[in-house]
Amino acid sequence: MRRSDRWAFAVLGVGVAATLGGVQLAAMLDDPPTPLAAESEFCPERPGGAAQSDTGYAESGEPYRGGGPHPVAFNLRYAEVGNVDVPDRWKPGQDGSPPGPQLVACVYQDTSDSRDELRECLYTHSLGSPVDPDKATKVSLLKASYIVQLYEAATAKPVARINVPGAESCPAVHEANDSSGVIFEEPDTKKLRAALRPHIERSVAV
């Protein structure tokens, strides 16, 4: 092969490599970002664990700073209760509307606490009908207390840990298809609000 041919071949090789490199770089730039996990995956399985930072809250969450109230989203995945009652002004907007959550409250039933039977609860599944003790569904109310772990929504950084006792009363609702025969106390609403208020109503320095 003549020297001029060897130079031409070498230049062609460099050109092909550069072109392929450009294609590879373009492909890397075009790769879609990793989708965020569902917001329901935010809370760790146990209180005190690290919250998952790559959930939808990374986009919808707002920094925990400025004047209160700081909107808080509740995650009841590990609480074995269906609802907690807090003031509307503490709640974030629905379906992505503002305000976004600044805090996420991960609620856990405290499994280290005793689960003694407190009383019997009576439920009827006929709407608007009074409870007939002879026909009502009888369910044992078990003692329960709760741990609430607060995290900053946008960063998943821990903010506070709160302990809340049970309400010592029969929950208003019992699932008709629940055949376990037991139901747990729900968190005491007044004590839950009192414990959360300093973190939600306070002013946080920027």
Side-chain angles (χ1 to χ4, degrees):
M1 180 183 293
R2 292 179 301 172
R3 178 178 297 180
S4 59
D5 292 338
R6 288 199 299 268
W7 278 108
F9 184 78
V11 170
L12 176 62
V14 171
V16 170
T19 301
L20 291 176
V23 171
Q24 183 179 9
L25 177 60
M28 292 173 62
L29 293 176
D30 290 340
D31 284 344
T34 303
L36 295 171
E39 293 175 352
S40 60
E41 302 292 327
F42 179 90
C43 294
E45 292 184 5
R46 295 177 179 81
Q52 189 168 332
S53 60
D54 59 346
T55 70
Y57 287 125
E59 291 184 346
S60 65
E62 298 181 2
Y64 178 47
R65 63 186 62 169
H70 304 282
V72 56
F74 282 85
N75 186 312
L76 306 177
R77 182 178 182 181
Y78 302 108
E80 297 189 47
V81 294
N83 184 48
V84 292
D85 185 20
V86 295
D88 288 342
R89 62 194 299 267
W90 289 6
K91 298 176 182 179
Q94 298 295 315
D95 300 322
S97 60
Q102 294 186 21
L103 296 168
V104 178
C106 300
V107 184
Y108 303 86
Q109 193 174 113
D110 188 353
T111 56
S112 67
D113 198 5
S114 63
R115 299 191 176 187
D116 301 331
E117 183 175 345
L118 298 177
R119 69 183 67 175
E120 187 176 67
C121 299
L122 303 179
Y123 293 94
T124 180
H125 299 294
S126 299
L127 295 177
S129 301
V131 177
D132 183 344
D134 294 329
K135 298 180 180 179
T137 300
K138 299 176 175 62
V139 182
S140 297
L141 177 67
L142 301 185
K143 179 178 175 61
S145 59
Y146 296 86
I147 298 169
V148 181
Q149 192 81 45
L150 278 178
Y151 297 89
E152 184 178 27
T155 64
K157 293 180 179 178
V159 173
R161 177 183 171 118
I162 297 166
N163 293 288
V164 181
E168 299 183 359
S169 59
C170 294
V173 177
H174 175 254
E175 296 291 338
N177 59 357
D178 184 353
S179 60
S180 65
V182 299
I183 194 169
F184 292 100
E185 293 178 276
E186 292 182 339
D188 185 294
T189 298
K190 289 184 178 180
K191 293 179 180 178
L192 173 66
R193 292 183 180 188
L196 288 173
R197 185 168 287 109
H199 306 285
I200 294 177
E201 298 285 358
R202 64 177 293 217
S203 292
V204 181
V206 177

